[in-house]
């Protein structure tokens, strides 16, 4: 069975209630399953399995630590070294270069001087005055270059520029002169690129231009990984490749995991562009607790209740699966066309019950490059390879006096089932109950009246 919800309706103090249900000693593993068509057969969109998701074996290295995604898309040949940006910091100890030769203009300077915090260093005479230098007591954005970091190549520069353009756009090009009589600064020039166009079009063109400049590279694996990274960074990049073009944070629901950007941009002067010099991220998820890579847990273990998500811009509530599957009217299958406004997605949030030690196997389904469209049988066969132990136990959080009904929703599972109801006094065995309809693939919701 691939479940939507499993609910029980019972009585407590003469009132009917739906108590919370939890799977004992197993995991109700999450899937976002959407029927695309129902006739003549049901076909299910399983986007999380598709090539658009960064595979788990690559994504998991970003759990619990900030790490640069640039390493995943390196193709070599770069010149500019990536840099670390630290916001609101000050230098307390550093070495600076100096040279007392007249009119020396060759970098690097031949000698070094250690600059210690709060200590004044007296310098050579300038006219009749001594020049003093020291650390400052003010906090600024500090840019550091770290040894052995590989240089940024052309493909990595595309990702950094997409982050830079999006960030600068969101700052409303703060620092642009907006004075037609003055020579345009860098922010003016960038602002002009956006005039009369949607931001996602301008930013998407960075990648399109790269493909025109490097036609021999477009089939590289790194290029495919770049597309997946952009999807996982949808909250930071306006692009036609981003979920909903990056215009909201629906990606947090429509992806099994996403990237939270940790790198900061920097600009040296008010009229300069805020630039990203690196792209450090950490892996996040609305479904999984990634606190410990060796002990990944579900955030919501309740298999009976609908998921409720609070996002930055909107709040969405998942709906139950209806008594019959409904085809999903999606114009196309690319992320840009996914929206949550019509509520269609909630109906098909599903789970499979697996052993705890099989969670790594199940996570490996994400981004496994398989077809994202499955028949119900193909989908079931794919899932069955993870765990074919068909027995599991559900526990009611708060005891009930009488059990009146069991409600089960799902998108596969026609067949005979055994149910054992365990109370504090007895066990009630319901054997060989036929659930769903072998000949009608659309039946997805059943009630067992007790």
């Amino acid at each position: 069975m691939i479940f939507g919800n499993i609910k029980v309706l019972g009585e407590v103090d003469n009132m009917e209630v739906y108590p919370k249900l939890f799977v004992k000693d197993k995991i109700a593993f999450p899937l976002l399953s959407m029927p695309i068509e129902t006739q003549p057969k049901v076909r299910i969109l399983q986007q999380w399995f598709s090539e658009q998701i960064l595979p788990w074996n690559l994504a998991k290295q970003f759990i619990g630590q900030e790490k640069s995604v640039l390493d995943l898309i390196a193709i070599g040949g770069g010149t500019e070294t990536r840099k670390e940006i630290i916001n609101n910091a000050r230098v307390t100890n550093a070495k600076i270069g100096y040279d007392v030769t007249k009119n020396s203009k060759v970098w690097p300077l031949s000698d070094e001087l250690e600059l210690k915090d709060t200590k004044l260093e007296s310098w050579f005479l300038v006219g009749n005055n001594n020049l003093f230098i020291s650390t400052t007591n003010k906090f600024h954005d500090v840019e550091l270059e770290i040894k052995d970091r590989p240089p940024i190549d052309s493909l990595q520069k595309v990702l950094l520029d997409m982050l830079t353009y999006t960030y600068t756009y969101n700052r409303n090009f703060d620092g642009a002169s907006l004075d037609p009589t003055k020579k345009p600064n860098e922010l003016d020039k960038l602002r002009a690129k956006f005039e009369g166009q949607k931001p996602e079009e301008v930013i998407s063109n960075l990648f399109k231009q790269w493909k025109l400049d490097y036609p021999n590279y477009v089939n590289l694996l790194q290029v495919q990984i770049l597309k997946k990274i952009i999807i996982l960074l949808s909250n930071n990049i306006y692009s036609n490749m981003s979920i909903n073009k990056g215009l909201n944070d629906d990606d947090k629901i429509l992806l099994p995991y996403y990237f939270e950007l940790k790198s900061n941009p920097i600009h040296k002067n008010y009229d300069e562009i805020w630039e990203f010099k690196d792209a450090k991220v950490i892996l996040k998820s609305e479904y999984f607790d990634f606190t410990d890579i060796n002990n990944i847990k579900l955030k919501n273990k309740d298999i009976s209740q609908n998921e409720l998500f609070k996002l930055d811009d909107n709040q969405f509530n998942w709906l139950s699966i209806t008594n019959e599957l409904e085809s999903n009217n999606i114009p196309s299958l690319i992320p840009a066309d996914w929206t949550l406004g019509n509520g269609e997605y909630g109906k098909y949030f599903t789970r499979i019950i697996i052993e705890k030690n099989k969670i790594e196997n199940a996570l490996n389904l994400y981004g496994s490059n398989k077809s994202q469209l499955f028949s119900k049988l193909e989908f079931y066969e794919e899932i069955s390879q993870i765990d074919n132990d068909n027995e599991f136990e559900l526990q009611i959080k708060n005891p009930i006096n009488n059990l009146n009904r069991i409600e089960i929703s799902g998108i596969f599972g026609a067949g005979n089932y055994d149910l054992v109801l365990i109370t504090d006094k007895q066990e009630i065995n319901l054997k060989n109950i036929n659930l769903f309809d072998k000949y009608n693939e659309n039946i997805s919701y059943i009630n067992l009246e007790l």
Side-chain angles (χ1 to χ4, degrees):
M1 169 60 68
I2 300 171
F3 293 100
N5 296 128
I6 305 175
K7 298 182 180 182
V8 295
L9 180 65
E11 293 180 9
V12 175
D13 298 330
N14 296 320
M15 293 182 60
E16 284 196 327
V17 296
Y18 283 101
K20 293 184 176 182
L21 279 179
F22 299 91
V23 182
K24 182 180 178 182
D25 299 327
K26 292 195 178 186
I27 293 174
F29 188 80
L31 300 167
L32 188 67
S33 309
M34 291 172 286
I36 296 300
E37 66 181 26
T38 57
Q39 297 297 333
K41 294 285 187 179
V42 172
R43 286 204 304 164
I44 298 165
L45 171 68
Q46 186 43 254
Q47 180 71 8
W48 290 358
F49 292 4
S50 76
E51 62 182 7
Q52 293 177 322
I53 305 299
L54 188 70
W56 172 246
N57 66 322
L58 294 179
K60 66 182 179 181
Q61 64 184 288
F62 299 95
I63 290 179
Q65 62 175 336
E66 298 175 14
K67 190 174 180 181
S68 177
V69 293
L70 296 186
D71 296 328
L72 296 181
I73 54 174
I75 57 177
T79 55
E80 179 187 357
T81 303
R82 66 183 77 172
K83 297 178 175 68
E84 183 86 11
I85 310 298
I86 303 176
N87 291 140
N88 298 318
R90 71 181 187 90
V91 176
T92 58
N93 190 288
K95 290 187 176 181
I96 62 171
Y98 75 94
D99 193 324
V100 296
T101 307
K102 244 184 186 180
N103 298 322
S104 174
K105 294 182 179 179
V106 179
W107 185 90
L109 298 175
S110 58
D111 295 304
E112 287 184 341
L113 172 70
E114 185 176 8
L115 202 60
K116 296 182 178 180
D117 195 21
T118 72
K119 184 179 179 181
L120 298 179
E121 296 288 345
S122 180
W123 210 245
F124 52 85
L125 291 176
V126 179
N128 294 322
N129 299 311
N130 276 342
L131 173 66
F132 291 91
I133 59 173
S134 72
T135 59
T136 178
N137 67 341
K138 296 180 180 179
F139 289 81
H140 304 275
D141 294 343
V142 178
E143 179 178 331
L144 302 174
E145 183 176 12
I146 300 175
K147 186 179 180 182
D148 297 330
R149 284 203 175 183
I152 299 168
D153 62 36
S154 60
L155 188 61
Q156 294 167 325
K157 185 71 163 53
V158 169
L159 179 62
L160 293 176
D161 284 347
M162 294 178 91
L163 291 168
T164 292
Y165 276 37
T166 304
Y167 186 86
T168 306
Y169 178 86
N170 283 334
R171 290 186 67 94
N172 199 27
F173 306 97
D174 188 25
S177 67
L178 305 178
D179 187 345
T181 65
K182 293 183 178 179
K183 182 180 178 181
N185 60 33
E186 293 303 312
L187 281 162
D188 290 317
K189 295 176 183 177
L190 182 57
R191 184 175 180 272
K193 293 182 179 181
F194 283 83
E195 289 182 353
Q197 297 190 72
K198 295 180 179 179
E200 62 269 22
E201 295 292 341
V202 177
I203 295 168
S204 296
N205 283 338
L206 292 169
F207 182 50
K208 292 179 181 178
Q209 183 175 333
W210 181 90
K211 290 192 290 185
L212 293 174
D213 292 340
Y214 300 93
N216 295 330
Y217 289 174
V218 294
N219 293 322
L220 290 177
L221 175 62
Q222 292 91 328
V223 177
Q224 304 307 314
I225 293 177
L226 171 66
K227 296 177 182 178
K228 307 175 201 295
I229 291 173
I230 292 171
I231 289 174
L232 266 62
L233 280 171
S234 290
N235 206 33
N236 304 96
I237 296 178
Y238 295 146
S239 165
N240 292 331
M241 291 181 285
S242 301
I243 298 288
N244 289 347
K245 302 180 181 179
L247 301 177
N248 54 41
D249 57 349
D250 291 350
D251 56 289
K252 294 179 180 178
I253 293 179
L254 296 177
L255 295 172
Y257 38 71
Y258 59 92
F259 281 149
E260 183 178 283
L261 184 64
K262 291 298 183 181
S263 288
N264 298 305
I266 194 172
H267 73 163
K268 297 179 176 64
N269 298 302
Y270 178 69
D271 59 353
E272 291 185 358
I273 297 172
W274 290 81
E275 287 190 277
F276 281 88
K277 301 290 188 177
D278 205 346
K280 284 189 172 182
V281 303
I282 193 167
L283 196 68
K284 295 285 186 177
S285 175
E286 291 296 310
Y287 306 102
F288 299 98
D289 180 355
F290 287 147
T291 304
D292 183 355
I293 190 173
N294 298 314
N295 187 24
I296 296 171
K297 301 176 182 177
L298 291 181
K299 287 186 176 181
N300 183 5
K301 299 179 182 179
D302 182 3
I303 197 171
S304 66
Q305 304 299 312
N306 299 322
E307 299 264 6
L308 182 68
F309 294 94
K310 181 66 174 70
L311 300 179
D312 294 341
D313 300 321
N314 295 290
Q315 184 168 299
F316 301 97
N317 191 11
W318 293 118
L319 306 173
S320 298
I321 295 181
T322 56
N323 62 344
E324 289 207 1
L325 290 173
E326 300 174 6
S327 59
N328 218 328
N329 297 320
I330 297 178
S332 67
L333 304 182
I334 60 174
D337 292 305
W338 285 22
T339 59
L340 291 179
N342 58 11
E344 288 294 303
Y345 294 91
K347 298 175 185 174
Y348 313 114
F349 184 73
T350 59
R351 303 171 178 92
I352 55 171
I353 310 299
I354 62 172
E355 299 282 352
K356 288 184 177 179
N357 61 1
K358 301 290 179 63
I359 190 168
E360 182 78 12
N361 296 356
L363 286 166
N364 280 327
L365 288 174
Y366 294 159
S368 55
N369 253 351
K370 300 180 184 297
S371 170
Q372 57 189 356
L373 279 177
F374 297 86
S375 69
K376 287 182 71 171
L377 181 59
E378 289 170 337
F379 193 24
Y380 179 74
E381 289 177 344
E382 191 70 35
I383 298 300
S384 297
Q385 297 177 32
I386 303 290
D387 197 341
N388 58 9
D389 182 359
N390 296 318
E391 182 177 304
F392 63 91
E393 182 177 340
L394 296 172
Q395 291 185 324
I396 298 177
K397 182 177 181 180
N398 298 314
I400 56 177
N401 301 125
N402 296 303
L403 181 60
N404 299 335
R405 187 166 76 235
I406 300 174
E407 302 175 8
I408 303 175
S409 63
I411 58 172
F412 191 91
N416 294 337
Y417 290 76
D418 294 338
L419 303 181
V420 181
L421 309 180
I422 304 172
T423 74
D424 56 355
K425 296 179 180 179
Q426 63 180 324
E427 290 188 5
I428 304 170
N429 289 279
L430 307 176
K431 295 285 188 179
N432 216 31
I433 300 175
N434 185 262
L435 300 183
F436 299 95
D437 190 328
K438 182 178 180 181
Y439 302 102
N440 185 351
E441 288 193 347
N442 289 352
I443 297 297
S444 64
Y445 181 82
I446 60 169
N447 285 327
L448 295 177
E449 299 286 348
L450 303 176

